[in-house]
Amino acid sequence: MLQWFPDETKTHAHQWFFPAACVYAVLMVPLAMLARHGYGPGALAAPTGHAFEMLFGFALALIAGYLLGPMPARRLALFIVTWLLARLMGLIDPANWLTLVSNAAFVTLLARHLLPRLWVAKKWRNRTLVPLLGLICAITIAITLMNQLDYRWLHRFLLDESVQLFALLMLFMGGRMLAPAVAGEFYRQGMELEARVQPHIEAGLIVTVTAAFVLAPVATSVSGVLLIMSGILAATRLFRWQLWHCLARPDLICLGLGYGWLALGLMLLGWVKLSGGDYFSTAVHAITVGALGTLAANVMVRVTLLHVKQYPSRIPQIVVMTGIMSIAALMRMDADFSAHREILLAIAAVAWSTSFLLVLFVLLDCQTNTLQHKSVKQQ
């Protein structure tokens, strides 16, 4: 298939990876629900299989689409093919050697392309993306290998703790997207936002989450305290952006809501670790459904619209998809406490898929309009 693309043809990675991530998100959670009742891929029936595909399938596709940028279509096809093969093999047999090889191939390509380019950043805070992304790529291989070797405890431990790495990535990238956008809205209103990147708080977030991850195997309580601190720092950072001045910009409010879910999720995760509670899943889903789902939906729509020179604030679907995603997060969290667990899980699954289906419609509509515009210009 690679011969279909001439070498000089360049394509933005998000044009392929964002729709692919949306389709996968729409299908993944309902398939996991069906698998739990014996009707879907057996690999998704276990919580570990579902969690792995959520983080190292869906989230990594989002990272690839956001960070890879424009590249020759032939090279981008190699990225998308290895990602698709890893997803397919993961659904068929997560412990198969081809699952390990395809996941390793994708993250190796990703690391080789991104890490040298990100390392040239001047500030150390920006360079922290390099070890963070490198560690995420390495853990992808490690988790797949542990599954193949049937080291179940280590496989589950790495999978559980990797949530913190994705949370740190969202803290960093979400802040870098939200801060300049809010500052621009302040400028439009004739005001000035003094607290933009907030480097001291950002440094605190990097240190506390990293330390929580490192100390997790030996000092769970200390790790919990650090996560609570990171959640408080994230909430403080969000408060200092003063989003109440941006009520005319629903796109910014929705991004802020995703960042708020992240702050809440970190505090809940820290409290669970500190108290030794049984609601680890509740805290994790505040991060993976509330924060990751909300931020992913908004980032995909925002990046796509800005690429075709449209304003995200003028797309009413943003508010709808964000509201539906919050319903998904609340229902999934409440299911851990309710006697009507299966009903709430079903509602959460439908809400999650509906939200990303709306995202997919926006993405495809933008790409269709772009193709039509190019066709008219050529004529």
Side-chain angles (χ1 to χ4, degrees):
M1 68 174 287
L2 299 184
Q3 64 183 0
W4 296 351
F5 306 105
D7 288 334
E8 65 275 7
T9 302
K10 285 200 171 186
T11 306
H12 285 266
H14 70 81
Q15 293 177 298
W16 289 14
F17 269 108
F18 284 179
C22 273
V23 171
Y24 196 59
V26 168
L27 297 176
M28 180 181 58
V29 175
L31 284 175
M33 286 286 296
L34 290 172
R36 289 178 62 246
H37 294 90
Y39 299 105
L44 293 179
T48 51
H50 165 68
F52 182 84
E53 290 303 321
M54 170 78 84
L55 294 174
F56 298 97
F58 168 68
L60 276 184
L62 178 67
I63 292 169
Y66 185 71
L67 291 177
L68 283 176
M71 63 170 56
R74 181 176 295 183
R75 188 184 307 168
L76 182 57
L78 185 60
F79 277 89
I80 200 77
V81 165
T82 53
W83 179 81
L84 285 171
L85 180 60
R87 307 287 63 79
L88 180 62
M89 291 308 304
L91 294 178
I92 295 173
D93 184 4
N96 188 280
W97 68 270
L98 191 54
T99 306
L100 172 62
V101 170
S102 54
N103 275 290
F106 174 67
V107 296
T108 300
L109 285 171
L110 195 63
R112 184 178 179 183
H113 189 85
L114 288 180
L115 302 191
R117 193 175 70 188
L118 295 171
W119 185 249
V120 300
K122 295 180 180 179
K123 296 180 179 179
W124 73 268
R125 297 190 314 277
N126 296 334
R127 284 189 177 184
T128 55
L129 271 180
V130 175
L132 177 57
L133 286 172
L135 186 55
I136 288 174
C137 291
I139 284 184
T140 306
I141 300 173
I143 290 174
T144 313
L145 180 60
M146 293 304 102
N147 193 34
Q148 188 178 34
L149 297 176
D150 203 26
Y151 293 166
R152 296 184 181 180
W153 179 86
L154 188 54
H155 172 259
R156 181 61 184 259
F157 176 80
L158 289 174
L159 192 54
D160 287 346
E161 298 305 321
S162 64
V163 173
Q164 298 167 56
L165 299 179
F166 285 94
L168 179 55
L169 189 63
M170 287 187 281
L171 286 168
F172 187 91
M173 296 176 66
R176 291 308 174 95
M177 175 175 286
L178 193 52
V182 174
E185 176 61 17
F186 268 62
Y187 179 79
R188 189 187 68 82
Q189 296 181 29
M191 300 186 296
E192 182 179 357
L193 178 65
E194 296 181 0
R196 296 187 63 174
V197 175
Q198 304 176 51
H200 296 299
I201 291 182
E202 185 175 75
L205 288 168
I206 293 170
V207 171
T208 52
V209 178
T210 302
F213 176 78
V214 172
L215 293 173
V218 294
T220 304
S221 296
V222 177
S223 177
V225 171
L226 289 168
L227 287 173
I228 292 173
M229 291 172 59
S230 68
I232 293 172
L233 285 172
T236 302
R237 192 185 195 196
L238 178 61
F239 178 79
R240 295 185 70 204
W241 281 324
Q242 304 176 51
L243 287 176
W244 54 87
H245 292 297
C246 303
L247 296 180
R249 291 288 304 274
D251 56 318
L252 300 184
I253 300 298
C254 291
L255 276 174
L257 180 61
Y259 208 86
W261 271 113
L262 189 53
L264 175 63
L266 286 169
M267 286 187 275
L268 290 176
L269 185 58
W271 176 253
V272 168
K273 286 193 169 195
L274 184 61
S275 63
D278 299 325
Y279 296 105
F280 178 81
S281 174
T282 308
V284 164
H285 283 98
I287 296 174
T288 54
V289 181
L292 177 59
T294 302
L295 289 173
N298 280 273
V299 166
M300 285 192 280
V301 169
R302 184 176 184 82
V303 169
T304 301
L305 290 175
L306 291 177
H307 180 71
V308 297
K309 298 180 172 57
Q310 293 188 34
Y311 296 101
S313 59
R314 299 178 182 176
I315 303 295
Q317 294 97 317
I318 287 179
V319 176
V320 177
M321 65 183 66
T322 301
I324 294 174
M325 187 59 69
S326 288
I327 292 173
L330 291 170
M331 293 299 101
R332 179 57 190 85
M333 293 168 67
D334 192 40
D336 293 334
F337 305 91
S338 175
H340 305 289
R341 176 179 172 82
E342 292 301 318
I343 295 175
L344 294 178
L345 287 176
I347 295 172
V350 171
W352 166 277
S353 295
T354 301
S355 182
F356 278 109
L357 194 60
L358 288 173
V359 176
L360 183 62
F361 285 154
V362 173
L363 301 187
L364 295 180
D365 183 60
C366 286
Q367 293 198 16
T368 301
N369 291 338
T370 301
L371 290 174
Q372 290 176 347
H373 182 67
K374 286 182 178 179
S375 176
V376 170
K377 286 182 68 176
Q378 290 174 354
Q379 292 175 0

